[in-house]
């Protein structure tokens, strides 16, 4: 029997009693409602093949094309490989919402652990709906209707950014033609209607209203609200663990405390829709 156990009062739930390679419509309906309610759902002992992971992700919507920077499973390009190997440690981590440099960032992601170091390598998620709710009321009013610019610059200088023989970086080459996009600072969840603070450290470049900083409102100040541990959940990976998160109302952070010990996870991403502003006054 399917069991759903919340991780805390704010975000995250562990779901057991289900086989993610074979479930009925009723079970998926329960799983999907938990996804919307808890924002990130976790499973243990789900040893998904690339085919099974793609099939599971497709239940949530149309799949994204292969990621432009991440390596992928050779036979399944929509399955990205997030891997650390000896001599190739992870780079610096940033709190981020996946791919907000797109006009329509992803709806959700399905991440499955293949192999892990003996310890370390947790991932932390934060509810950006709870972060928004924690803002002082005057700040909410000042942010209403504002936009911020997001861009792919967050990959520059990362381990995915090699320089070719012509001196051009890989990120610069791939990102030619990828124009920066503007998203509402306060976005409305397309299914629940809840407001979320829609910025992140890796891909949000600036607030578009030049007057807003004169009022003491900066991105760094807003980022700090997401560092509140009471609004977060920290997940300890095990081989076969799966996490599915709502990319429309969360950020996450990879804890890189394991050096270059081997670690590999497979990720599949589901397409989303352009974020819409939340109307504070209706």
């Amino acid at each position: 029997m399917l069991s759903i156990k919340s991780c805390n009062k704010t975000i995250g739930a562990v779901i057991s009693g289900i086989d993610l390679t074979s479930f009925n419509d009723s079970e998926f309906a329960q799983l999907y409602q938990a996804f919307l309610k808890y924002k990130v759902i976790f499973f243990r002992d789900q040893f998904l093949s690339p085919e099974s992971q793609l099939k599971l992700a497709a239940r949530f919507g149309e799949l994204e094309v292969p990621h432009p920077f991440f390596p992928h499973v050779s036979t399944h390009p929509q399955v990205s490989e997030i891997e650390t190997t000896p001599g190739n440690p992870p780079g610096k981590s940033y709190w981020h919402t996946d791919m907000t440099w797109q006009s329509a960032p992803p709806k959700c992601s399905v991440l499955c652990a293949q192999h892990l170091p003996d310890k370390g390598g947790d991932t932390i998620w934060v509810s950006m709906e709870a972060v928004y709710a924690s803002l002082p009321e005057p700040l909410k009013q000042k942010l209403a209707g504002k936009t911020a610019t997001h861009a792919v610059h967050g990959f520059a200088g990362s381990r995915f950014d090699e320089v070719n023989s012509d001196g051009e970086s890989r990120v610069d080459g791939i990102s030619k033609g990828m124009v920066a996009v503007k998203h509402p600072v306060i976005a409305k969840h397309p299914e629940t209607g809840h407001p979320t603070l829609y910025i992140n450290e890796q891909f949000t470049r600036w607030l578009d209203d030049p007057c807003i900083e004169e009022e003491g409102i900066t991105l760094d100040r807003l980022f700090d609200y997401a560092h509140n541990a009471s609004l977060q959940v920290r997940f300890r990976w095990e081989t076969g663990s799966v996490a599915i998160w709502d990319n429309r109302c969360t950020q996450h952070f990879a804890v890189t405390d394991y050096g270059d010990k081997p670690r590999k996870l497979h990720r599949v991403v589901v397409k989303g829709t352009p974020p819409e502003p939340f109307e504070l006054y209706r």
Side-chain angles (χ1 to χ4, degrees):
M1 181 180 295
L2 190 146
S3 170
I4 301 172
K5 182 178 180 180
S6 63
C7 297
N8 57 49
K9 295 180 179 180
T10 305
I11 182 173
V14 177
I15 299 181
S16 58
I18 187 171
D19 179 351
L20 293 180
T21 66
S22 176
F23 49 82
N24 59 40
D25 290 343
S26 175
E27 290 173 319
F28 180 73
Q30 294 177 71
L31 185 156
Y32 193 83
Q33 288 306 307
F35 160 77
L36 291 178
K37 179 178 180 180
Y38 297 105
K39 301 170 182 58
V40 55
I41 49 178
F42 305 113
F43 307 82
R44 299 289 189 189
D45 301 320
Q46 304 282 338
F47 300 93
L48 303 181
S49 67
E51 293 89 348
S52 296
Q53 190 172 354
L54 287 166
K55 183 178 179 182
L56 170 63
R59 292 296 300 266
F60 288 83
E62 183 181 354
L63 301 184
E64 279 277 2
V65 299
H67 195 280
F69 301 108
F70 291 167
H72 55 75
V73 175
S74 59
T75 55
H76 298 81
Q78 287 172 297
V79 182
S80 296
E81 290 184 325
I82 301 173
E83 184 172 18
T84 297
T85 57
N88 181 37
K92 182 179 179 180
S93 272
Y94 297 90
W95 280 100
H96 66 284
T97 301
D98 286 337
M99 300 165 66
T100 60
W101 37 268
Q102 296 187 158
S103 59
K107 171 183 179 179
C108 65
S109 294
V110 179
L111 191 61
C112 182
Q114 304 299 303
H115 61 252
L116 302 157
D118 293 337
K119 59 181 180 179
D122 296 351
T123 304
I124 307 171
W125 281 264
V126 61
S127 166
M128 295 305 289
E129 290 181 1
V131 170
Y132 172 77
S134 75
L135 299 180
E137 199 61 35
L139 181 55
K140 291 179 184 177
Q141 295 175 11
K142 290 177 180 178
L143 294 175
K146 306 299 184 185
T147 62
T149 294
H150 297 240
V152 76
H153 70 291
F155 287 108
S158 71
R159 59 175 174 162
F160 306 109
D161 192 21
E162 304 97 351
V163 176
N164 64 24
S165 58
D166 295 327
E168 182 182 60
S169 79
R170 180 169 178 264
V171 168
D172 286 345
I174 294 175
S175 62
K176 285 179 180 177
M178 289 184 178
V179 297
V181 298
K182 297 181 187 297
H183 293 311
V185 174
I186 310 303
K188 180 179 72 172
H189 194 286
E191 295 185 77
T192 67
H194 297 158
T196 186
L197 181 61
Y198 199 74
I199 58 170
N200 68 91
E201 292 176 359
Q202 189 163 20
F203 301 124
T204 308
R205 299 206 71 171
W206 56 71
L207 297 168
D208 295 322
D209 185 343
C211 298
I212 203 166
E213 288 198 8
E214 296 175 6
E215 301 182 56
I217 302 170
T218 65
L219 278 179
D220 285 342
R221 177 185 169 190
L222 296 177
F223 292 153
D224 282 344
Y225 283 99
H227 299 164
N228 183 344
S230 70
L231 309 181
Q232 301 170 2
V233 62
R234 181 167 179 150
F235 185 64
R236 179 179 57 81
W237 291 98
E238 298 172 356
T239 301
S241 295
V242 171
I244 304 173
W245 66 92
D246 193 333
N247 198 60
R248 301 165 295 187
C249 58
T250 62
Q251 287 190 54
H252 56 281
F253 180 89
V255 181
T256 54
D257 56 353
Y258 53 94
D260 64 351
K261 294 177 181 177
R263 179 180 185 269
K264 181 191 286 189
L265 299 98
H266 284 171
R267 191 185 78 167
V268 178
V269 181
V270 177
K271 286 184 177 180
T273 55
E276 296 184 7
F278 177 78
E279 297 180 11
L280 185 60
Y281 304 104
R282 286 184 290 180

